[in-house]
Amino acid sequence: MNRRHVLAGLAGLAPMTVAGRVWAAPKADARLLVVFLRGAYDAANVVIPVSSSFYYESRPNLAIARPGSGVGSALSLDVDWGLHPALASSILPLFQRGEVAFVPFAGTDDLTRSHFETQDTIELGQEVNVRRDYRSGFMARLAHELTGVRPISFTEQLPLTFQGEVAVPNVAINAVGKAGIDSRQAKLITAMYEHGPLSGAVAEGFRVRDEVYQQVTDHMMEASRNAASPKGFELSARRIGRLMRETFNLGFVDVGGWDTHVNQGGATGYLADRLGELGRGLAGFAEEIGPKWNDTVVVVLSEFGRTFRENGNHGTDHGHGSVYWVLGGGVRGGRIAGEQVAVDQPHLFQNRDYPVLTDYRGLLGGLIRQLYGLDAASLGRVFANVTPKDLALV
């Protein structure tokens, strides 16, 4: 057995060490999951500006019809906004119960329009015009500020947002299978490191691995009895819900496939299929986490929005402002939150995109301040030099 390979395999399952910070949380059982839609989803065709004639003029092939226009029309959220019909059975009921709020015109002041640059910007949570520290993501800094926290990343590799002083385990939740190292081998490896500096990391790594595998296996057995066979993100999200119900309380997962330059589709098609799966996944997460849903907040975000006008390939290109989703049993939802402007040509950013009126760091800062009761000094260590924006979401 190769020592280097063993350590590499355990690296993603290292223990969580939390410095002795004070967590003055009003909700000691609070849970937070960040869902990152990589590829910059077309927010304007998900939370749809149905009162805007400019929207329908700008998207002759992609626009979703106004509510009440027949099959495939938008689902009414209020007089100005509608929801993509692919979310009718999943997100709309949560919205109607007041458990979902949408924040349009949200994003970052990063103007590179580069997927990688802007994803890094958001995951780091640092100011744009300063030298970046790639060893310090905002979720790692948040974990460092909290006691009683059990963070985890449901990704193949540890994402930038969890890089930092706190060692965070990561698990590719859509590919969890039988452990490559059996219990006998695990005991031998643990014994090898028993009296060394890595003893804690090795033991904790195997413990977390076994815990995740056991819970996922139990879930798979339950799912087969119910005959339902969720796939893709829906399956992953249900597994995440179960794990965050039982064990973890600060999570991150990313979902790819949102870069829709060509043949994006409207009420049906590529984007609609992705949305349907995302919506079923989030609704499944809410079901699996059960009563803990009341103490859970899920934030869905993306690196930027897309161009407001459709392109010549029946798709949309890299844009700027986006729409963030905030979900949870205790969320004050059923509404469109945050600063808004008319959706027309004069209000476009650089005559092409949604403007950013709500900075993501201010939005997240205000949210976690309320969720965890962080004081100004603690919040400043998570998001430096930012004024938290209280949108009364929790």
Side-chain angles (χ1 to χ4, degrees):
M1 192 167 296
N2 186 295
R3 171 191 169 97
R4 186 180 61 181
H5 289 171
V6 169
L7 291 177
L10 290 173
L13 296 172
M16 292 145 284
T17 56
V18 180
R21 299 288 174 80
V22 175
W23 181 9
K27 291 184 177 180
D29 207 25
R31 285 162 169 74
L32 174 64
L33 174 68
V34 174
V35 180
F36 201 123
L37 307 182
R38 297 194 189 275
Y41 88 108
D42 181 27
N45 252 30
V46 178
V47 179
I48 304 153
V50 294
S51 64
S52 168
S53 58
F54 180 62
Y55 166 79
Y56 290 98
E57 295 164 5
S58 301
R59 297 184 169 217
N61 298 289
L62 302 184
I64 310 296
R66 289 186 170 91
S69 301
V71 176
S73 59
L75 312 164
S76 181
L77 297 177
D78 64 18
V79 295
D80 293 318
W81 300 93
L83 189 66
H84 194 287
L87 300 172
S89 62
S90 55
I91 301 303
L92 182 63
L94 295 174
F95 183 87
Q96 291 171 333
R97 293 205 301 265
E99 297 175 358
V100 182
F102 296 106
V103 184
F105 311 112
T108 168
D109 53 353
D110 186 323
L111 296 178
T112 62
R113 290 192 174 89
S114 158
H115 291 299
F116 301 122
E117 285 282 325
T118 317
Q119 287 175 16
D120 289 356
T121 294
I122 291 177
E123 289 189 62
L124 292 172
Q126 301 166 13
E127 294 176 84
V128 169
N129 297 315
V130 299
R131 184 175 181 179
R132 291 182 171 183
D133 181 357
Y134 286 92
R135 296 167 300 177
S136 179
F138 85 84
M139 293 191 71
R141 297 195 297 273
L142 174 61
H144 188 259
E145 292 301 315
L146 305 177
T147 57
V149 68
R150 295 214 64 194
I152 187 169
S153 181
F154 302 102
T155 53
E156 290 189 8
Q157 297 182 339
L158 193 66
L160 208 53
T161 196
F162 266 137
Q163 297 288 341
E165 295 183 50
V166 177
V168 177
N170 65 282
V171 176
I173 198 67
N174 62 342
V176 173
K178 187 176 181 180
I181 299 175
D182 62 27
S183 59
R184 184 186 65 83
Q185 293 171 318
K187 286 179 182 178
L188 289 173
I189 294 168
T190 302
M192 286 170 54
Y193 291 93
E194 186 174 4
H195 301 294
L198 293 175
S199 62
V202 172
E204 179 68 1
F206 280 126
R207 192 192 65 77
V208 172
R209 181 204 65 167
D210 293 343
E211 191 173 61
V212 170
Y213 175 69
Q214 185 62 48
Q215 292 187 28
V216 168
T217 301
D218 290 346
H219 172 62
M220 291 169 66
M221 293 174 66
E222 290 180 7
S224 64
R225 290 194 195 103
N226 295 332
S229 179
K231 61 179 182 179
F233 179 69
E234 183 177 1
L235 173 60
S236 297
R238 286 186 174 276
R239 289 174 170 176
I240 292 169
R242 188 177 179 86
L243 289 165
M244 291 194 69
R245 183 188 71 197
E246 302 291 343
T247 307
F248 302 99
N249 55 17
L250 181 64
F252 175 92
V253 63
D254 51 11
V255 188
W258 301 94
D259 196 11
T260 52
H261 291 280
V262 178
N263 294 329
Q264 174 179 305
T268 60
Y270 179 82
L271 179 61
D273 292 343
R274 300 292 298 152
L275 284 173
E277 189 168 324
L278 175 68
R280 291 191 297 274
L282 293 172
F285 172 88
E287 289 179 7
E288 291 292 337
I289 206 166
K292 300 291 178 61
W293 178 240
N294 292 328
D295 297 312
T296 299
V297 171
V298 179
V299 178
V300 181
L301 50 79
S302 195
E303 62 263 40
F304 44 70
R306 305 194 71 82
T307 50
F308 192 75
R309 300 177 180 90
E310 68 179 49
N311 63 26
N313 294 316
H314 294 181
T316 51
D317 300 319
H318 298 181
H320 187 46
S322 184
V323 178
Y324 285 21
W325 310 11
V326 182
L327 309 89
V331 166
R332 297 168 65 182
R335 63 195 176 99
I336 309 297
E339 185 179 353
Q340 299 167 45
V341 292
V343 179
D344 54 20
Q345 189 276 330
H347 287 99
L348 290 186
F349 177 73
Q350 297 181 342
N351 192 30
R352 55 175 281 165
D353 317 312
Y354 271 161
V356 170
L357 306 179
T358 298
D359 176 76
Y360 80 103
R361 296 200 314 149
L363 167 60
L364 293 173
L367 192 58
I368 63 174
R369 181 179 66 177
Q370 292 299 112
L371 191 62
Y372 297 112
L374 297 182
D375 60 23
S378 185
L379 187 61
R381 288 188 288 268
V382 179
F383 291 117
N385 301 317
V386 69
T387 301
K389 203 158 190 173
D390 184 7
L391 301 182
L393 293 167
V394 292

